[in-house]
Amino acid sequence: MASMLDAVDQRTKLVGENRLELLMFRLSGMQMFAINVFKVQEVVQLPKLNQMPHRHASVAGVTHFRGRTIPVIDLSESIGMKPIDRTQPSNLIVTEYNNTVQGFMVGEVDRIINMNWNEILPPPDGTGRQHYLTAITRVNDRIVEIIDVEKVLAEISPYDGTISDDVIDKDLLSLAKGLEVLIVDDSSVALAQCRSTLDFLGITVHEATNGKRGLEQLKKWAADGDVVPEKLLMMITDAEMPEMDGYRLTREVREDPALKDLYIVLHTSLSGSFNKAMVQKVGCDDFLSKFQPDKLATLIQDRIRSVVYRE
């Protein structure tokens, strides 16, 4: 399975093409689940785990992986299902989210599939695991549930949304009030964290839950006569989203004469080194890893200064 994850160059070619690759796997039953391959470092058979005191109930233990100690999360238990049966063959999916490395214990790993984001849909209302799904899709007429890993990690280790006092430029707070920002993200956790930072700065927040809806909102403003690059201080967009990803959204914005000058920040839990390389390719203005309120506040304030000084 590890060899399936070696062709990074091939996967980067998907960026801006509204395509993705999903790693499919099972947990405790026959239902198929998936996560984006971009976040996967390696897949191995479940190694020996060491217990740790005062651990979260969903943390099965820790293991040594390539010179570092990483937590291992029972992904099944973390989304409200029965724990993985370790008497049966199990696997470890090693991932990187927000510059941290962790392992997810799963059952059988199936395969990697290449899909278009417009085949990835928001989970329907009323699904039993809705709160832990970021999207669903169909493969060979079977539903595949895409797990909201950001929510899982946030419940195990809650993100601190506090902005440090020394980060805030109080002289800018009066200038920030009334400014508008569009956040495009399918993660309720990420939206809440972003909104908290922007609310503290007094900025008006508009939200869209995927790239398609974000683009529709931008085009609506333009059709209503708004000069969108002047109306919005910036657009902050996730990379992974159902129907249209952040890379394709950025490309669509850059190709629209009424929108092309909009300041765009890619705000994602995907690997920082990967995304920094992709920012220039798709035309974003900046990149920021998620759940870093101080850095987000700094980025916002720097943008305010550049706009004020330019004027």
Side-chain angles (χ1 to χ4, degrees):
M1 178 59 67
S3 63
M4 298 172 66
L5 306 173
D6 293 336
V8 174
D9 288 341
Q10 291 298 315
R11 297 202 298 274
T12 60
K13 292 178 182 178
L14 302 177
V15 171
E17 304 301 326
N18 209 41
R19 300 194 66 83
L20 78 159
E21 287 184 324
L22 293 175
L23 174 64
M24 296 170 51
F25 54 88
R26 292 182 175 87
L27 295 175
S28 300
M30 295 306 295
Q31 174 61 45
M32 196 69 72
F33 296 88
I35 60 175
N36 195 323
V37 171
F38 280 150
K39 294 177 178 175
V40 177
Q41 291 190 347
E42 196 163 343
V43 179
V44 297
Q45 287 188 332
L46 184 68
K48 178 182 177 181
L49 302 182
N50 297 311
Q51 298 302 308
M52 52 188 294
H54 311 298
R55 62 183 175 85
H56 187 278
S58 296
V59 177
V62 297
T63 191
H64 297 288
F65 176 78
R66 302 205 180 281
R68 70 167 74 187
T69 300
I70 64 171
V72 175
I73 298 163
D74 185 327
L75 191 52
S76 183
E77 187 171 8
S78 71
I79 65 172
M81 297 173 62
K82 65 179 182 179
I84 298 290
D85 182 359
R86 281 186 253 177
T87 66
Q88 300 297 316
S90 302
N91 290 279
L92 185 69
I93 302 176
V94 181
T95 65
E96 180 181 355
Y97 283 81
N98 306 314
N99 298 314
T100 66
V101 176
Q102 54 281 309
F104 290 103
M105 182 169 61
V106 302
E108 176 191 0
V109 174
D110 185 71
R111 59 195 159 116
I112 290 174
I113 57 170
N114 185 309
M115 301 193 73
N116 193 298
W117 271 109
N118 61 25
E119 301 174 272
I120 312 298
L121 303 174
D125 293 338
T127 52
R129 288 181 291 273
Q130 177 188 3
H131 297 302
Y132 291 100
L133 302 182
T134 188
I136 62 170
T137 190
R138 283 186 176 271
V139 177
N140 297 330
D141 293 325
R142 294 188 62 184
I143 291 178
V144 177
E145 301 182 357
I146 303 172
I147 295 176
D148 187 349
V149 178
E150 289 175 4
K151 181 175 176 60
V152 170
L153 294 175
E155 291 187 349
I156 293 172
S157 180
Y159 299 111
D160 183 1
T162 306
I163 305 174
S164 303
D165 289 339
D166 58 355
V167 170
I168 298 299
D169 183 343
K170 293 180 173 55
D171 293 334
L172 281 181
L173 290 181
S174 60
L175 298 175
K177 289 182 179 179
L179 296 176
E180 301 176 55
V181 168
L182 173 63
I183 308 172
V184 186
D185 203 308
D186 65 323
S187 167
S188 60
V189 175
L191 282 172
Q193 186 264 315
C194 240
R195 189 189 314 115
S196 174
T197 301
L198 294 172
D199 285 347
F200 182 86
L201 297 173
I203 291 175
T204 299
V205 177
H206 305 278
E207 297 178 2
T209 53
N210 63 49
K212 181 181 178 183
R213 293 174 183 174
L215 185 62
E216 289 171 350
Q217 179 62 72
L218 293 171
K219 288 182 176 291
K220 182 179 184 302
W221 280 324
D224 290 342
D226 288 315
V227 181
V228 176
E230 296 179 5
K231 173 183 176 63
L232 297 178
L233 179 70
M234 64 175 64
M235 176 175 72
I236 301 172
T237 180
D238 187 19
E240 296 181 274
M241 292 176 289
E243 298 190 283
M244 179 185 291
D245 67 15
Y247 303 116
R248 183 59 178 266
L249 170 61
T250 300
R251 174 175 286 185
E252 294 285 343
V253 168
R254 294 298 182 232
E255 292 176 354
D256 188 319
L259 306 175
K260 64 183 180 65
D261 294 326
L262 179 62
Y263 195 91
I264 302 176
V265 175
L266 190 67
H267 187 233
T268 172
S269 58
L270 291 172
S271 166
S273 58
F274 168 80
N275 275 295
K276 288 175 183 177
M278 293 303 102
V279 162
Q280 185 174 5
K281 178 176 178 179
V282 298
C284 293
D285 295 286
D286 211 335
F287 162 80
L288 182 65
S289 293
K290 282 184 178 179
F291 310 116
Q292 300 184 86
D294 281 355
K295 290 187 177 181
L296 178 57
T298 298
L299 186 152
I300 293 287
Q301 292 176 122
D302 288 345
R303 176 61 180 158
I304 294 172
R305 291 187 190 95
S306 70
V307 171
V308 170
Y309 294 150
R310 184 180 65 203
E311 294 176 349

